[in-house]
Amino acid sequence: MTGTDPTTDSADGALAAATADDPATGLRAVRSLRILADRLETLQVGRARELGWSWQDIADALGVSRQAVHQKHHRKA
């Protein structure tokens, strides 16, 4: 089957924008990627908590301390 994967195409487009020669384009892309990453982290932390994951389990998966993840997400979970 041929065709393009919109997820990959979007990721490739974001990478191209973030590594653009024009700093304004690159910095806007970096900002957008940070916003997206924060939203995805919040979504996945919420899912993990709903499934009974401990703050330590989540911290280990994210590569941060338990205190850091709890401080950032405890009010959202």
Side-chain angles (χ1 to χ4, degrees), residues 8 20 23 31 34-35 39 53 72-73:
T8 303
R31 181 183 67 212
R34 282 187 182 144
I35 291 167
R39 289 178 181 173
W53 285 41
K72 183 173 181 180
H73 294 285

Side-chain angles (χ1 to χ4, degrees), residues 10-46:
S10 295
D12 290 344
L15 178 60
T19 58
D21 289 336
D22 176 21
T25 300
L27 291 169
R28 280 193 304 271
V30 168
R31 181 183 67 212
S32 294
L33 290 167
R34 282 187 182 144
I35 291 167
L36 176 59
D38 284 343
R39 289 178 181 173
L40 291 172
E41 182 178 316
T42 297
L43 173 70
Q44 293 301 334
V45 168

